[in-house]
Amino acid sequence: MRMYSVDMPELPEVEAVRTSLLPHLVGRTVKRAEVLHRKTVRGDKAFEKTLAGKTFVAIRRRGKLLFFDLDDGGVLLGHLKMTGQFFYHGKKVKTGGGHSLSAKVAALPDAHTRVILHLENGDTLYFNDMRLFGYIKIATRAEADAAEATYGIEPGLPDFTLSAFRKALGKRTAPIKGVLLNQALISGLGNIYVDEACFRARVRPMRRTNTLTAKEVEKLYEGAKSVIAEAIALGGTTFRNYSDATGNHGRFREKLQVFDRAGEPCVRCGKKGIVVKTVCAGRGTHYCPKCQK
DNA sequence: GAGAGTGTTGTAAC
DNA sequence: GGTTACAACACTCT
């Protein structure tokens, strides 16, 4: 039995879900779809009937949205939002993860299981979502392409160039944090990584975008790019359950420099700067008042 | 036990 | 159009 889950995912976490599902799900055919909570399934009212018999041919990702390509040309879209999780249960798959996560999967479906895909080889894919913000949806290829087109430039993709980054920021007056969180402009950055990127660039998250110097914009660009690359390499950040001995959480949490460090000395300027937590762009925001200007 | 906070995003109002 | 506030929901923490 093997499975993968993360809490409160951003781009690196969604990417970890994608790569962990890839070897198990691609090539598998849906025998039966079981919807336990209607709100989780958007669009197609005949979801179960539509999905039955379809085979997964690829899993792609844009920003935090997952695209499960089907053999009939359609696409199953999946967004985890705040608390969505995929669990893959396969008898013949090697054991991975820690005992507590294995126990978790053994207990599925549970109170938060919203959709179950029974596969023809006997494996099972569970979609859990406590807060019911996430969704899965059957789309045509054209609809999936349209959804993909709403996303802005993305760290890790070729279109994420310094000039495209400058253009995305434009002459906006909103706090840089809000701009970096705007998926239509820059996709994939969530609350954690925006705070981290701002820290790397020595820029306060609440700085008005149009007051940033060219040098600061360049450092933000590098910061966003490097933080996402490093987080993907480490399997993302698992925050709330980071101390669980699942052996399956992302390891980037240890690398966080400001996020969730309110009251602690700044890792860069020491006791001279104490990390502050405030609200910016409607989100919990962390920065060092000493070395971020 | 009440109230605030939670890593996302769509919508509506200014 | 840009910006901001808030709702969607269920749970944990203070």
Side-chain angles (χ1 to χ4, degrees):
Chain A
M1 187 204 304
R2 188 173 188 280
M3 51 284 146
Y4 195 89
S5 77
V6 293
D7 296 281
M8 311 256 190
E10 295 190 28
L11 185 157
E13 292 73 38
V14 178
E15 177 62 12
V17 169
R18 187 186 77 83
T19 54
S20 69
L21 284 176
L22 213 44
H24 306 303
L25 198 58
V26 172
R28 298 279 82 80
T29 300
V30 178
K31 183 179 179 185
R32 185 168 64 91
E34 189 179 351
V35 178
L36 304 183
H37 202 293
R38 218 60 231 182
K39 187 178 182 294
T40 298
V41 174
R42 292 199 188 162
D44 199 340
K45 285 177 182 150
F47 180 86
E48 295 95 322
K49 189 176 275 186
T50 305
L51 209 50
K54 300 294 192 299
T55 300
F56 293 102
V57 297
I59 310 176
R60 297 175 291 125
R61 177 192 59 72
R62 189 66 161 79
K64 302 164 198 168
L65 182 62
L66 286 166
F67 300 74
F68 298 88
D69 291 337
L70 303 170
D71 61 342
D72 68 342
V75 184
L76 183 67
L77 303 180
H79 202 303
L80 306 175
K81 291 289 180 84
M82 301 281 274
T83 55
Q85 298 174 293
F86 280 106
F87 292 105
Y88 190 88
H89 180 190
K91 300 182 203 63
K92 294 178 181 174
V93 185
K94 263 190 271 177
T95 300
H99 65 281
S100 75
L101 196 52
S102 296
K104 161 90 179 168
V105 171
L108 291 173
D110 65 18
H112 300 130
T113 303
R114 310 306 186 189
V115 177
I116 306 173
L117 297 188
H118 302 278
L119 306 173
E120 281 189 339
N121 69 345
D123 288 0
T124 313
L125 181 67
Y126 297 92
F127 182 76
N128 271 33
D129 186 20
M130 183 181 75
R131 287 174 73 178
L132 295 169
F133 290 167
Y135 65 87
I136 55 180
K137 169 185 183 172
I138 294 174
T140 62
R141 181 67 196 215
E143 289 167 340
D145 289 348
E148 189 170 359
T150 65
Y151 285 87
I153 58 171
E154 177 172 325
L157 294 185
D159 62 2
F160 195 75
T161 61
L162 178 57
S163 66
F165 185 75
R166 280 200 195 100
K167 195 176 171 189
L169 267 50
K171 301 198 184 306
R172 291 165 188 279
T173 58
I176 183 61
K177 172 149 186 171
V179 174
L180 293 176
L181 284 172
N182 186 337
Q183 303 296 300
L185 296 172
I186 293 148
S187 62
L189 288 175
N191 204 32
I192 295 176
Y193 300 114
V194 165
D195 280 6
E196 293 297 315
C198 287
F199 181 83
R200 291 183 178 208
R202 298 176 183 259
V203 165
R204 294 192 188 191
M206 56 287 293
R207 273 282 295 283
R208 298 277 156 184
T209 303
N210 60 352
T211 69
L212 296 169
T213 65
K215 188 74 186 168
E216 286 173 331
V217 170
E218 193 174 337
K219 281 157 75 180
L220 275 168
Y221 166 77
E222 294 297 341
K225 202 168 158 174
S226 63
V227 77
I228 289 295
E230 290 166 30
I232 287 177
L234 289 178
T237 306
T238 300
F239 188 61
R240 293 205 181 281
N241 293 336
Y242 76 95
S243 60
D244 282 2
T246 63
N248 215 346
H249 58 257
R251 289 163 291 134
F252 191 73
R253 192 183 188 287
E254 305 149 27
K255 307 286 182 185
L256 295 178
Q257 296 183 288
V258 277
F259 194 88
D260 197 39
R261 286 186 180 274
E264 294 179 27
C266 171
V267 298
R268 186 163 50 207
C269 54
K271 290 178 183 169
K272 285 179 278 181
I274 302 297
V275 175
V276 168
K277 181 176 182 186
T278 180
V279 175
C280 175
R283 317 287 292 279
T285 298
H286 314 71
Y287 70 97
C288 171
K290 180 75 181 172
C291 62
Q292 286 176 263
K293 305 299 180 188

